[in-house]
Amino acid sequence: MNFRYTDERFADIQMLRYKLENFDKLSLRQKKLVYCLSQAALFGRDITFDQFGKYNLRIRKTLEAVYTEYTGDRNSEDFKALEVYLKRVWFSNGIYHHYGCDKFKPGFSSSFFVDAVKACNMANLPLDDGQTVDDLCEVLLPVMFDDAVLPVKVCKKDGVDLVKSSACNFYEGVSQNEVEGYYAGLKRADDDKPISYGLNTSVVKVDGEIKEDVWHIGGKYGKAISKIVFWLEKCLDLVENEKQQQVIELLIKYYKSGDLQVFNEYCIEWVGDKDSIIDFINGFIEVYDDPLGLKGTWEGLVEYRDIEGTRRTKLISDNAQWFEDNSPIDSRFKKKRVSGVSANVICAAMLGGGEYPSTAIGINLPNADWIRADYGSKSITISNIIAAYNEAARGNGFDDEFVIDEATIELIRKYGEMCDVLHTDLHECLGHGSGQLLPGVDPDALKAYGNTIEEARADLFGLYYSADEKMLQLGLLPDAEAFKAGYYTYMMNGLLTQLARIKRGNEIEEAHMRDRALIARWCYEKGQPDNVVELVCKDGKTFLRINDYAKLRSLFGRLLAEVQRIKSEGDYESARRLVEKYAVKIAPDLHEEILTRYERLGLPPYKGFINPMLVPVRDEANNIVDVIATYSETYSGQMLRYSKAYSTLI
């Protein structure tokens, strides 16, 4: 097929494709390495499904059996609704919305579901020993159809037990206070190089005693991890250099032992690998899907360097110390010596786990503050994912509907894409790696608010510096007007348009959305005496107007200073007040207006990706002589193939 960026749509989602630019220019050895790393990235899929809800794997397998075997009217409303429901489950790695965390409501009846399941071949259903189909339905029906049963994947409401109120599968039989008390008892105040406590474990209560079930070979998720390790070991014969070999060997050692000290060693070596063209993320990494911000969602990403794009990010990383020294934060919180910062523009070659089908456009790792301080961090901006988003957005009518006037629309069309990329670079490359904790501050002190505060800190860093003269000196922006496009779209999103992603009656839950709301609303309020930013009504519609961009930048700097103080001092109460005041609640009338306007455009608010297929080409002696990327696989075809080829836990 000829490559196209956009693909099918369902529910509130549009599927896209990303192109592996210049993949054919890699050496055969590099292509084979990408292939093996991609297999390792795909074998973690079942882990992510299970982490997002204890019934997800059984629901997925049951739905797939119905979808592939159903012999009734496949054009009936019930079957078409089941098909959409299954596609949403595939997309979100479970029955909860990937962004809003609410449970999906089936559009088909429970009686249709039961009858369809009973018509399936029992061998294709996830039946435990001695379990009947009726038993299976009895377990799954309330989870799928009862709004009161496990309604939210990640609960972040203030004043409730976040562990007991969340359906994510990290805890069993324990309360929030018990979990926090357990980890508080493990930590030492004088430990300046701590492990990431709880990153790779489930917390359970056995005979009244709280214990951790470690995710490693021989433990929970061992079958999936064994497959990941199998393919990582294949990579050892294909590495580009000794450093890359050390990185993979340490990751294998960590997967075999589950030892978080080994994970720290792996992170340090991974950060130190600056020369490899092929790189990857594979493991229990980000903690956004845990209400307490402790447990790492499994994710996989395979990448290769975009040489031309990396010239831009190198300018930023080479000047990291200047940015740190000139940051508007208190000098106590600045790093005296910034080291080890690297930033690359990359092409994604394969997405897996928590990065699939919906993925980030930029990533900065590792997350441990002390490793960042002592060894630096790696930042990536994913150029082929950004290109796919940009192509899908061209001419969709969004700017005409939500931007206040033609002059601002022209500003955004001229500078918007470059400002978005620059903000991502600054956010990931320097924002997350900037600043420091005061001695003795627990990295987890902000608890459930930590993720939002950290994302706000990185966003503010990017916003503040986007308008700096340094951007012109480095040639990162063409003129002194360009940054305004980024400021406008950011504030418009935080105050208005991101509300299109939230269901009527809901609050803001997701950490990145809370971060954007916090920044935009705080600046709107604090700028009111000078009318820095205003919301105006034109023809019955609400629009953003920015009256003073220089003062808005000053407000970004003030908030950055406060957010950094909160982070550096571990000030939980200030974090709670800031987030709860500015980042959670939604004005119902404004929400309804934005939803109505967005719905009229017919645009799906969420997008995700179909992976390319990497196909080994073999000669008559069965030797691999090439690896090619193809783009013909459908979304459903890919998901069913993955469930058949990469299922390990069910």
Side-chain angles (χ1 to χ4, degrees):
M1 60 172 281
N2 293 326
F3 181 83
R4 64 178 187 274
Y5 282 104
T6 57
D7 207 87
E8 71 171 290
R9 293 170 55 167
F10 56 90
D12 57 355
I13 293 162
Q14 181 175 29
M15 298 306 301
L16 307 177
R17 297 180 188 273
Y18 59 98
K19 193 172 185 179
L20 272 57
E21 300 287 356
N22 296 316
F23 181 73
D24 58 333
K25 295 181 180 178
L26 298 177
S27 70
L28 176 58
R29 184 184 182 92
Q30 289 173 321
K31 290 179 182 178
K32 290 164 71 174
L33 177 59
V34 168
Y35 176 79
C36 291
L37 287 170
S38 295
Q39 294 299 304
L42 294 174
F43 265 112
R45 181 174 182 249
D46 275 8
I47 299 176
T48 308
F49 266 89
D50 190 72
Q51 289 180 317
F52 288 179
K54 65 184 296 184
Y55 300 98
N56 282 338
L57 286 171
R58 276 181 279 180
I59 291 171
R60 186 191 78 193
K61 186 166 185 177
T62 303
L63 289 167
E64 288 173 346
V66 172
Y67 181 66
T68 55
E69 297 181 32
Y70 187 69
T71 58
D73 182 5
R74 298 177 76 91
N75 290 316
S76 68
E77 292 302 314
D78 275 323
F79 184 82
K80 287 192 291 186
L82 181 139
E83 183 178 22
V84 171
Y85 184 83
L86 174 56
K87 288 180 177 181
R88 299 186 78 183
V89 169
W90 283 331
F91 190 90
S92 296
N93 293 294
I95 63 173
Y96 301 94
H97 197 282
H98 73 290
Y99 228 68
C101 293
D102 290 339
K103 185 166 67 175
F104 300 134
K105 190 173 183 64
F108 50 94
S109 68
S110 59
S111 59
F112 169 82
F113 176 73
V114 171
D115 290 343
V117 173
K118 288 182 176 180
C120 291
N121 183 342
M122 290 181 62
N124 294 328
L125 295 174
L127 299 174
D128 296 331
D129 290 342
Q131 191 179 42
T132 67
V133 175
D134 285 332
D135 295 333
L136 176 65
C137 290
E138 186 176 348
V139 171
L140 299 187
L141 284 178
V143 179
M144 295 173 62
F145 289 90
D146 190 337
D147 292 342
V149 176
L150 302 174
V152 181
K153 181 177 75 173
V154 182
C155 178
K156 296 183 179 180
K157 292 186 182 298
D158 191 29
V160 304
D161 187 313
L162 301 182
V163 167
K164 291 185 176 180
S165 301
S166 298
C168 54
N169 193 22
F170 299 125
Y171 307 101
E172 188 72 43
V174 292
S175 69
Q176 178 180 349
N177 286 338
E178 287 175 320
V179 175
E180 291 176 344
Y182 173 80
Y183 285 114
L186 296 179
K187 296 177 180 179
R188 299 195 333 265
D190 62 345
D191 187 359
D192 60 353
K193 296 182 179 180
I195 61 172
S196 300
Y197 287 97
L199 185 70
N200 65 335
T201 65
S202 301
V203 178
V204 298
K205 188 182 287 186
V206 180
D207 297 327
E209 183 180 356
I210 297 176
K211 296 182 177 181
E212 289 185 278
D213 191 356
V214 182
W215 309 332
H216 70 302
I217 290 181
K220 188 173 183 180
Y221 301 139
K223 290 182 179 180
I225 294 172
S226 293
K227 291 290 188 180
I228 295 169
V229 167
F230 172 85
W231 284 100
L232 290 175
E233 289 175 338
K234 294 277 189 185
C235 295
L236 293 174
D237 294 329
L238 301 166
V239 293
E240 298 175 275
N241 51 61
E242 290 185 6
K243 174 67 77 172
Q244 192 177 62
Q245 179 172 337
Q246 292 172 343
V247 169
I248 295 174
E249 287 175 342
L250 280 169
L251 180 57
I252 292 170
K253 182 179 178 181
Y254 162 62
Y255 271 141
K256 289 181 176 180
S257 67
D259 186 344
L260 287 169
Q261 291 287 4
V262 177
F263 180 69
N264 280 350
E265 296 172 22
Y266 157 73
C267 290
I268 291 167
E269 290 299 318
W270 179 78
V271 165
D273 181 9
K274 303 289 199 298
D275 298 326
S276 298
I277 299 298
I278 313 301
D279 206 351
F280 66 96
I281 296 167
N282 188 297
F284 306 105
I285 310 294
E286 301 291 2
V287 297
Y288 301 108
D289 300 301
D290 173 15
L292 302 187
L294 298 171
K295 308 298 175 186
T297 296
W298 193 92
E299 63 184 72
L301 170 67
V302 184
E303 64 193 65
Y304 57 97
R305 191 177 302 171
D306 178 338
I307 303 298
E308 183 62 32
T310 296
R311 292 192 177 97
R312 181 187 73 245
T313 54
K314 190 174 186 301
L315 283 173
I316 294 173
S317 59
D318 285 350
N319 286 274
Q321 190 67 58
W322 182 92
F323 286 100
E324 186 78 1
D325 292 344
N326 289 276
S327 176
I329 66 175
D330 191 299
S331 59
R332 295 177 300 149
F333 311 140
K334 294 182 181 181
K335 290 177 179 174
K336 302 300 183 287
R337 182 179 64 87
V338 177
S339 62
V341 174
S342 67
N344 291 310
V345 176
I346 62 97
C347 285
M350 191 63 62
L351 308 173
E355 290 294 337
Y356 170 80
S358 177
T359 188
I361 59 174
I363 298 171
N364 180 275
L365 292 171
N367 288 325
D369 285 287
W370 73 268
I371 295 179
R372 291 176 183 275
D374 292 353
Y375 297 95
S377 63
K378 274 186 185 178
S379 170
I380 59 171
T381 300
I382 312 178
S383 61
N384 56 342
I385 296 296
I386 293 174
Y389 278 129
N390 289 339
E391 286 299 323
R394 295 192 196 285
N396 64 9
F398 177 87
D399 289 344
D400 295 314
E401 175 61 36
F402 288 105
V403 178
I404 190 166
D405 53 37
E406 190 60 35
T408 309
I409 290 174
E410 286 303 313
L411 182 77
I412 292 168
R413 287 174 179 166
K414 185 176 182 180
Y415 300 117
E417 289 184 13
M418 69 177 72
C419 285
D420 288 345
V421 169
L422 178 61
H423 183 259
T424 299
D425 290 342
L426 291 168
H427 172 114
E428 300 294 351
C429 177
L430 301 181
H432 281 307
S434 66
Q436 63 182 358
L437 300 181
L438 293 182
V441 171
D442 183 352
D444 300 319
L446 303 184
K447 301 180 183 178
Y449 299 103
N451 290 332
T452 297
I453 291 297
E454 176 57 23
E455 291 303 323
R457 194 175 70 91
D459 261 0
L460 286 162
F461 191 98
L463 289 165
Y464 180 78
Y465 277 117
S466 292
D468 198 280
E469 187 179 344
K470 191 75 169 178
M471 299 301 101
L472 305 183
Q473 295 173 4
L474 295 175
L476 296 171
L477 287 179
D479 58 56
E481 293 293 301
F483 80 93
K484 295 178 180 179
Y487 273 26
Y488 190 91
T489 55
Y490 190 95
M491 291 293 291
M492 180 178 68
N493 189 28
L495 288 171
L496 300 174
T497 54
Q498 75 167 359
L499 298 180
R501 292 182 160 198
I502 301 171
K503 289 169 58 177
R504 289 171 173 85
N506 284 10
E507 295 180 343
I508 303 175
E509 293 283 351
E510 200 274 334
H512 297 80
M513 295 182 79
R514 283 186 167 190
D515 129 51
R516 293 188 287 266
L518 188 162
I519 292 171
R521 292 171 177 180
W522 187 94
C523 291
Y524 174 72
E525 178 188 286
K526 302 303 180 184
Q528 283 187 347
D530 295 323
N531 199 28
V532 176
V533 175
E534 62 178 324
L535 295 177
V536 299
C537 184
K538 290 175 54 179
D539 301 323
K541 299 178 180 180
T542 304
F543 293 90
L544 167 75
R545 176 182 288 134
I546 298 177
N547 296 310
D548 194 323
Y549 282 90
K551 287 183 178 178
L552 179 56
R553 188 201 182 201
S554 178
L555 289 170
F556 288 145
R558 280 175 53 192
L559 184 55
L560 173 58
E562 172 60 6
V563 167
Q564 182 65 62
R565 182 198 67 77
I566 290 170
K567 169 90 173 181
S568 295
E569 295 180 351
D571 186 349
Y572 172 81
E573 283 302 320
S574 291
R576 185 187 67 79
R577 287 194 297 269
L578 197 62
V579 172
E580 292 296 333
K581 180 175 181 180
Y582 295 103
V584 178
K585 303 295 183 183
I586 302 174
D589 291 345
L590 179 61
H591 192 193
E592 181 62 34
E593 177 199 328
I594 298 300
L595 285 170
T596 300
R597 292 165 66 185
Y598 200 88
E599 287 164 358
R600 287 173 184 159
L601 292 174
L603 301 176
Y606 300 101
K607 294 176 175 62
F609 292 90
I610 301 170
N611 279 326
M613 286 184 68
L614 296 180
V615 182
V617 178
R618 299 179 182 273
D619 62 14
E620 292 180 356
N622 205 36
N623 298 310
I624 296 177
V625 295
D626 199 3
V627 177
I628 60 173
T630 67
Y631 306 95
S632 60
E633 196 167 31
T634 65
Y635 174 65
S636 296
Q638 182 160 105
M639 290 298 184
L640 289 171
R641 179 173 67 88
Y642 284 2
S643 291
K644 182 177 181 180
Y646 300 103
S647 287
T648 55
L649 303 181
I650 192 167

